[in-house]
Amino acid sequence: MLLSQGIAAAAEVRPAFAVGVPSPTKDKPQSKLWFAHDSWWAWLPVAGGSSVWKRTADGWQRQGHLDAPLQGVPGQADVWADEESATAVLVAPERLAVVSLQWRQADQRYELATPPAVLRTPPLPAGESGIESATIARDGRGRWWVAHNWQRGMFVRHSTDSTVGAWSAPIAISTAKAAADDLCLIVALPGSIAVVWSDQAHDAVYFRQHDDGAPPETWKPIETASSGGKTADDHLNAAVSEDGTLYLATKNSVDALGQPQLVLRIRHPNGAWAALPYAPRTITGEPSRPIVLLAEGSQRLFLVHSVYGNDRERPRRDGIEGAHPRRDWIAWQVADRRRMDLSPAATPLLETATRLNNVTGTKALLPAGQPWIVLVSDQRGRVFEAELAERE
């Protein structure tokens, strides 16, 4: 079978597991994987709630003892984890829930630490957008922060202490109205936390920082990461290096054949920004939904994204209507952070007979000496695993 961009047909890949909810690995800014206690874990939606999964030698296993505590909460999770706990913000259009799991050494499993904290929003006016995505981070003083979009604005909330039981009212990060589908994300930097967001209405990507010691409402002025030239789109994903360099995988809105579709934006610890376009759009493939991953103790940087097959161009190319069904696959490339050359073309990481989308990874650095994995899903709720083999 002939596939897009001249890649060879791959053997059929079996799903690792299924959750029964369409596209369970979305959304773009979120990280649903973490590594702890010698295992990979995933937090994904199921019908009526959330579920936690463990990667074992016998495959992925659902942690059924957590099903009842997680029933009735939203399923779309962004996870912040350390060795002893995993804390997630769970997203629905009209509410958020924050849930913390605590590791129990005696039982070798996670247990619910506290009941879910529910963060509601006021009723939406007609025509306005609810919450599409939210992310979570903890600052250097132990305070939790959640960032989310709502009514075309970007907001944060913070915990009132070091637990996740009580939360502040929303704090507006930006008073300008973005497009209805714009998103934000929050990251922890040395001595601060920061929010990055897309603003397609003003054709810009913005950044705003909060020092750990400042009052929660006191934020530094907004920085413009880039503006103009259709630079903004609602695709954001971030990783932070050991020295506090922020790597931001984004999509632009150029959407032109032969032009880069994705942009890696880098904020150095001194506040300087750089932008490296990559992944050109081709006649048969549209790169989209990028994520960025960094490896512990390594200078390697991994960029992973979806590629959407372009049905409209196939009859023109092949002369046979419907000769090749659409295939959406996952592509990747590796860069050395000391040189940051993104010119080599991305190569297929995972492809199947189904349409794959929404790569998700870990918020933390990929652990040394362990397999490095990402998860993707299809519209039937099946979840696939891909391993990032080490490349020099």
Side-chain angles (χ1 to χ4, degrees), residues 7 34 53 93 124 143 162 175 178 210 218 306 347 349 362 382:
I7 60 178
W34 73 99
W53 297 74
L124 280 171
R143 177 185 285 141
S162 60
T175 57
H210 175 273
T218 302
S306 301
T347 58
L349 175 65
T362 176
R382 299 184 300 174

Side-chain angles (χ1 to χ4, degrees), residues 79-385:
V79 183
W80 175 284
D82 56 30
E83 190 63 23
E84 298 305 321
S85 63
T87 301
V89 58
L90 308 167
V91 181
E94 77 292 347
R95 64 190 168 112
L96 301 172
V98 183
V99 181
S100 187
L101 306 178
Q102 189 71 29
W103 181 255
R104 288 190 59 174
Q105 184 66 26
D107 299 322
Q108 290 291 293
R109 69 183 194 180
Y110 286 102
E111 297 285 355
L112 195 69
T114 58
V118 178
L119 288 59
R120 298 192 180 276
T121 59
L124 280 171
E128 289 290 359
S129 55
I131 302 172
E132 181 179 348
S133 187
T135 50
I136 191 167
R138 187 172 58 199
D139 69 22
R141 297 197 173 190
R143 177 185 285 141
W144 291 97
W145 295 83
V146 165
H148 63 89
N149 68 299
W150 185 71
Q151 280 193 250
R152 297 187 294 141
M154 307 300 158
F155 296 84
V156 294
R157 303 184 187 205
H158 64 85
S159 64
T160 57
D161 55 28
S162 60
T163 72
V164 298
W167 290 80
S168 71
I171 300 170
I173 294 299
S174 172
T175 57
K177 290 290 187 181
D181 63 343
D182 277 315
L183 300 174
C184 64
L185 60 79
I186 194 164
V187 293
L189 301 173
S192 68
I193 52 97
V195 176
V196 183
W197 68 98
S198 62
D199 187 338
Q200 296 168 87
H202 297 88
D203 195 11
V205 177
Y206 294 117
F207 170 98
R208 198 168 187 187
Q209 194 170 18
H210 175 273
D211 289 335
D212 289 348
E217 299 81 8
T218 302
W219 287 66
K220 292 182 175 181
I222 295 173
E223 296 180 22
T224 301
S226 62
S227 63
K230 297 184 178 181
T231 192
D233 206 324
D234 66 321
H235 298 224
L236 304 170
N237 188 267
V240 179
S241 70
E242 299 93 326
D243 68 355
T245 302
L246 171 65
Y247 295 89
L248 186 67
T250 70
K251 180 182 176 296
N252 60 37
S253 294
V254 175
D255 295 333
L257 286 175
Q259 296 299 311
Q261 191 96 332
L262 309 179
V263 183
L264 180 66
R265 307 178 198 273
I266 304 171
R267 186 183 187 273
H268 298 282
N270 64 3
W273 284 91
L276 301 176
Y278 68 104
R281 180 171 176 170
T282 72
I283 196 170
T284 55
E286 302 174 18
S288 190
R289 298 183 179 243
I291 71 168
V292 56
L293 299 161
L294 304 177
E296 180 182 349
S298 170
Q299 291 297 320
R300 280 165 295 185
L301 175 145
F302 298 87
L303 295 167
V304 191
H305 60 267
S306 301
V307 180
Y308 301 152
N310 193 335
D311 289 326
R312 293 169 299 178
E313 301 294 345
R314 284 197 172 90
R316 184 188 309 169
R317 183 194 66 185
D318 299 326
I320 305 173
E321 184 72 37
H324 306 294
R326 171 171 170 168
R327 294 175 70 96
D328 297 343
W329 67 96
I330 306 301
W332 72 314
Q333 61 194 96
V334 185
D336 188 319
R337 284 188 274 158
R338 293 164 295 192
R339 293 186 290 273
M340 289 310 303
D341 179 11
L342 302 187
S343 60
T347 58
L349 175 65
L350 184 66
E351 50 178 321
T352 72
T354 190
R355 292 170 58 182
L356 300 175
N357 203 2
N358 297 300
V359 188
T360 192
T362 176
K363 199 182 291 283
L365 300 177
L366 295 164
Q370 302 294 336
W372 297 340
I373 66 168
V374 294
L375 296 181
V376 301
S377 59
D378 63 15
Q379 295 178 342
R380 296 165 58 185
R382 299 184 300 174
V383 180
F384 297 79
E385 176 189 310

